Amino acid sequence: FFTGNSYEHSDFKVLDFSIVGIDSNGNEYSFDSNEETDINGSLIIGELFGGNNLGGTTITPRITLNKGTYNNIYGGGNQAETTSDITLNIKNIYVNESIYGGGNQAGANTTKVEIQDGTVQKLFGGSNTSGNVNETNVILNDGKITEVYGGNNEGGNTVNSNVTIYGGDLDNVYGGGNNVFAQTTNVY
């Protein structure tokens, strides 16, 4: 699920939506965000990207998610850079694996990930396996998060990472990255 293109702006908001899917046994599932249906356990969005897949540049991706279940969420692209600011606003969702403010194998200029509520296994302000990020901003208001990292995961570097905690149930918080270099880290 990619939301980006090579145009000047890439705005993406999941507020009211419908999804129809078929599982490996051929059973059809549908979900309408206007219905009082529990998406947990019936339909999962695997990978959500705010930027492009393999090429081009997404200038300003913005993702707002208010419900649903996801495996991984990337504010940036898969293997395509994002040249400006990335914004993720997360509320009342369940993430099986990770949220990345940046891309999968791509860098970004500045990222902002704000969590209002929800359950997340791992949260990274930066990118996943490669790509440098100049500045990350992680803002935690509420929710259950097992591991929080201000920087990148396994590759690329983060120049400045900022983690601001207002509330939530947090097991481990790291100002820098997981297995990468972070130059300056701030945890408030």
Side-chain angles (χ1 to χ4, degrees), residues 3-83:
T3 64
N5 53 41
S6 58
Y7 298 106
E8 185 172 336
H9 292 283
S10 175
D11 291 338
F12 175 64
K13 295 180 181 179
V14 176
L15 298 174
D16 295 312
F17 61 97
S18 296
I19 300 172
V20 176
I22 299 175
D23 68 14
S24 59
N25 296 321
N27 300 313
E28 185 174 297
Y29 295 94
S30 63
F31 173 77
D32 186 332
S33 67
N34 292 318
E35 298 175 5
E36 292 297 321
T37 304
D38 184 9
I39 194 170
N40 292 335
S42 61
L43 182 64
I44 296 173
I45 296 175
E47 312 289 322
L48 181 109
F49 294 84
N52 291 1
N53 184 16
L54 300 175
T57 301
T58 306
I59 306 298
T60 309
R62 295 182 189 107
I63 299 175
T64 299
L65 301 173
N66 291 315
K67 61 171 65 174
T69 301
Y70 306 83
N71 283 340
N72 289 298
I73 298 170
Y74 301 88
N78 184 24
Q79 296 178 26
E81 299 290 317
T82 302
T83 59

Side-chain angles (χ1 to χ4, degrees), residues 66-171:
N66 291 315
K67 61 171 65 174
T69 301
Y70 306 83
N71 283 340
N72 289 298
I73 298 170
Y74 301 88
N78 184 24
Q79 296 178 26
E81 299 290 317
T82 302
T83 59
S84 189
D85 298 344
I86 298 171
T87 303
L88 285 88
N89 292 304
I90 308 295
K91 182 178 181 182
N92 297 324
I93 69 169
Y94 184 85
V95 179
N96 291 320
E97 295 178 31
S98 299
I99 295 175
Y100 301 93
N104 183 27
Q105 299 174 36
N109 185 39
T110 301
T111 68
K112 177 184 174 187
V113 181
E114 185 163 1
I115 306 292
Q116 297 294 331
D117 197 5
T119 302
V120 178
Q121 298 308 308
K122 293 181 181 180
L123 168 61
F124 296 90
S127 295
N128 186 16
T129 61
S130 64
N132 295 328
V133 180
N134 291 325
E135 181 179 333
T136 65
N137 298 285
V138 175
I139 302 165
L140 307 170
N141 295 299
D142 200 359
K144 166 82 173 124
I145 306 173
T146 305
E147 293 183 20
V148 176
Y149 296 89
N152 288 13
N153 182 19
E154 297 176 357
N157 296 315
T158 306
V159 179
N160 296 305
S161 69
N162 303 292
V163 178
T164 305
I165 303 169
Y166 293 109
D169 183 358
L170 312 170
D171 290 349

